[in-house]
Amino acid sequence: MKQTLNVKINENKEYLIEISDSNFESLNQEIYELTKNQKRLVVISKKVYKLYFSELNFSEEEVFIFPDGEKEKNYKNYLKIMKKASSLGLTRNDVIIAIGGGVVGDIAGFAASTYMRGIDFIQIPTTLLSAVDSSVGGKTAIDFNGVKNIIGSFYQPKKVFININFLKSLDKKQFMSGLGEVLKYALIEESCGYKESLFLYEFLALGVEKILEREPVTMIRLIEYCLNLKIAVVQQDEKEGGLRKILNLGHTLGHALEAITKYSKYTHGEAVVYGMFFILKWAYKKEYIPYSYYRLSIELIEKYGFKPLKHKYNIEKLVDLMKKDKKSTTSKITFIVPCNKKQVKEIKLTPLEAEFMFKE
Ligand code: GLY
């Protein structure tokens, strides 16, 4: 089974996303066709290299094996990738291919966007999280000076290949992390401006078993629904001037939780889920959403095995981290808040108001 989605940012920026369960033979063939006249630098996650390299049709010479983990998304590794690109003699007509999770996609994409002022870039996400989020939409970045994604660019890939065979070997923690972002899409669906209702919320409520089993056709559908929503948002607001912020539901607290625990305790999706538990409750208390929708949404998240955060963190420190988040454009902190069924809106609070919000 294969689904193809089209992303059209403007007249000159358009690309395809393929979601399939085909064998690696046909993936190899498609990559060959797309890049046959190009030199290639393949930035591949170490884990993926160990598990799948023998099945992929790349030479050892064109590969840069990338260590896994957020802490590796730094300028030293970025420079190593640049060095490899230049030692391979890549020119402006050539291509960088990222194979791995969000870290690999972000840093390889940033390298592609800056090498010779921008060369072709192909994304092959191998985690659920990168498939439903970071591989699509053109955000590329590295972390610097303790701040996540502070150096980066908007740079759309030439093509995205999502092959769900990679998901089979994903450990449970990483799979759940992806589901965290998937659940987010269910809560924002009606704000994305997609042309029709996809009923992702209902699909998730009814499909728990098949999704947790990673049943191939269900996974293709699930990724397709999420990406249809993401594409709709990104096509309206590529550079996050407004609408794209809704993709950050649960992320204000989520990012602060990741930062306060130095990216070592919670996966990204897990932290986002804690953010969603919190903001759903707050939205209900403030009467933005009725009790019935609040309860159903909490139950939906819990059906996937998530529980609200138990550990108590210092609120002043959390809010301080939220202030430093690069997404704040003023001294105020932005929260995306559920305001109706499957709808969200943006609110901005002063740090003092935010502290109050968490202490209420
Ligand atoms: N991860 C959120 C975005 O792509 O805007």
Side-chain angles (χ1 to χ4, degrees):
M1 183 180 181
K2 179 155 99 181
Q3 294 295 334
T4 304
L5 308 178
N6 185 49
V7 187
K8 185 169 183 178
I9 305 289
N10 58 41
E11 288 309 316
N12 309 313
K13 256 193 253 174
E14 193 168 357
Y15 58 97
L16 296 179
I17 304 168
E18 265 184 33
I19 315 165
S20 90
D21 60 354
S22 66
N23 56 28
F24 289 126
E25 257 320 282
S26 47
L27 177 64
N28 285 330
Q29 187 56 33
E30 290 203 58
I31 296 168
Y32 169 76
E33 289 298 332
L34 195 63
T35 64
K36 63 183 171 210
N37 298 319
Q38 293 176 299
K39 277 193 215 125
R40 313 182 296 192
L41 164 56
V42 181
V43 183
I44 184 167
S45 127
K46 195 171 178 178
K47 267 191 213 154
V48 179
Y49 176 84
K50 281 190 191 150
L51 288 167
Y52 298 104
F53 189 67
S54 59
E55 295 181 65
L56 299 171
N57 210 358
F58 300 109
S59 71
E60 287 285 352
E61 208 214 348
E62 59 192 348
V63 157
F64 181 96
I65 301 169
F66 197 85
D68 293 289
E70 184 68 34
K71 68 177 192 321
E72 304 293 344
K73 214 172 86 181
N74 56 43
Y75 72 91
K76 287 189 181 151
N77 281 328
Y78 162 74
L79 291 178
K80 283 185 194 165
I81 295 172
M82 295 310 242
K83 214 168 162 186
K84 176 84 182 180
S86 121
S87 75
L88 285 173
L90 260 60
T91 67
R92 211 172 255 170
N93 300 321
D94 296 322
V95 60
I96 294 183
I97 302 176
I99 310 180
V103 168
V104 169
D106 280 6
I107 195 167
F110 184 56
S113 79
T114 46
Y115 185 77
M116 293 194 162
R117 300 201 177 94
I119 63 172
D120 281 353
F121 176 48
I122 295 173
Q123 285 266 26
I124 306 182
T126 59
T127 63
L128 180 59
L129 184 67
S130 58
V132 296
D133 186 25
S134 60
S135 66
V136 170
K139 281 188 178 174
T140 81
I142 55 172
D143 306 338
F144 182 66
N145 227 359
V147 188
K148 199 172 162 178
N149 298 333
I150 190 82
I151 301 176
S153 60
F154 286 95
Y155 194 67
Q156 301 294 336
K158 184 180 177 189
K159 183 141 184 184
V160 183
F161 290 100
I162 301 174
N163 189 301
I164 56 143
N165 288 309
F166 287 114
L167 302 184
K168 288 181 192 154
S169 54
L170 207 57
D171 64 46
K172 185 166 177 218
K173 208 172 155 67
Q174 288 308 322
F175 185 72
M176 295 304 289
S177 178
L179 284 181
E181 286 284 352
V182 167
L183 287 159
K184 172 199 80 180
Y185 285 108
L187 298 179
I188 67 172
E189 173 170 344
E190 295 296 328
S191 293
C192 291
Y194 186 65
K195 58 181 187 295
E196 59 188 86
S197 285
L198 293 167
F199 301 105
L200 176 60
Y201 195 98
E202 291 74 10
F203 186 77
L204 283 167
L206 297 173
V208 183
E209 228 167 84
K210 284 192 170 166
I211 291 170
L212 290 177
E213 270 170 21
R214 310 180 197 184
E215 195 274 317
V217 174
T218 309
M219 289 316 292
I220 292 178
R221 282 262 170 274
L222 186 67
I223 295 170
E224 183 194 343
Y225 290 166
C226 294
L227 290 184
N228 272 323
L229 297 175
K230 176 146 192 186
I231 293 166
V233 170
V234 168
Q235 286 182 160
Q236 295 169 76
D237 176 24
E238 182 192 12
K239 302 218 166 137
E240 203 167 306
L243 180 71
R244 189 163 177 167
K245 290 184 194 159
I246 66 169
L247 298 175
N248 292 324
L249 174 67
H251 284 59
T252 310
L253 177 58
H255 283 154
L257 288 171
E258 286 184 278
I260 207 167
T261 54
K262 303 206 172 352
Y263 299 93
S264 58
K265 192 170 163 73
Y266 308 118
T267 59
H268 175 68
E270 194 182 3
V272 167
V273 166
Y274 292 136
M276 291 194 296
F277 270 121
F278 168 75
I279 208 73
L280 275 163
K281 190 165 185 182
W282 189 80
Y284 158 61
K285 279 202 282 191
K286 293 283 163 198
E287 297 181 358
Y288 287 132
I289 51 172
Y291 182 74
S292 53
Y293 178 65
Y294 161 68
R295 245 344 302 160
L296 270 181
S297 303
I298 295 294
E299 276 166 26
L300 177 64
I301 300 173
E302 287 180 340
K303 270 187 190 165
Y304 282 89
F306 293 105
K307 298 261 175 304
L309 182 66
K310 286 223 176 72
H311 194 92
K312 297 256 180 293
Y313 290 97
N314 179 297
I315 289 173
E316 285 76 15
K317 272 193 197 147
L318 281 178
V319 170
D320 203 46
L321 288 163
M322 290 173 197
K323 267 193 319 199
K324 288 188 185 132
D325 194 315
K326 66 176 193 324
K327 290 202 172 85
S328 351
T329 45
T330 61
S331 55
K332 292 196 169 179
I333 300 168
T334 301
F335 290 86
I336 304 300
V337 186
C339 62
N340 212 329
K341 284 185 191 162
K342 309 176 194 176
Q343 285 178 21
V344 288
K345 68 175 184 182
E346 178 189 344
I347 62 160
K348 289 181 190 290
L349 300 179
T350 63
L352 254 181
E353 286 167 335
E355 280 180 27
F356 186 68
M357 174 193 210
F358 285 101
K359 286 175 181 162
E360 268 181 284

